[in-house]
Amino acid sequence: MFPGWLQIALVVLLIVLLFGRGKISGLMGDVAKGITSFRKGLKEGLDEPEEEPKAVENKKTIDGEVVKSEEKDKA
């Protein structure tokens, strides 16, 4: 049930008549700019070094999170 070439041509013709050639080319240009900026953002994100987590002294765990303790252990 794939569309034939005549059906595809008819849909393309209707789209061109409804929107006009200028509007479609402008839309494709905007899509291309969006893809380019998306790829650039991905590339910049990969270049940044990952920050290492800082070591925490006097730590306690509360609800799964490590928090810094202000109290000194009494031993």
Side-chain angles (χ1 to χ4, degrees):
M1 298 254 345
F2 294 106
W5 68 272
L6 185 59
Q7 293 167 335
I8 294 172
L10 181 63
V11 169
V12 169
L13 179 66
L14 286 174
I15 290 173
V16 169
L17 288 175
L18 288 174
F19 295 108
R21 216 180 96 227
K23 196 167 205 168
I24 293 174
S25 65
L27 179 66
M28 289 297 129
D30 291 341
V31 169
K33 288 178 186 175
I35 292 171
T36 304
S37 64
F38 177 74
R39 287 183 180 168
K40 184 178 177 183
L42 285 177
K43 192 174 188 180
E44 288 176 359
L46 293 176
D47 291 342
E48 296 176 5
E50 294 183 16
E51 295 181 14
E52 294 182 18
K54 297 177 182 176
V56 178
E57 296 177 13
N58 302 328
K59 57 186 173 183
K60 291 184 180 178
T61 304
I62 301 175
D63 292 332
E65 294 182 21
V66 176
V67 293
K68 191 172 183 178
S69 173
E70 298 295 327
E71 301 174 7
K72 300 239 180 195
D73 293 326
K74 297 178 183 177

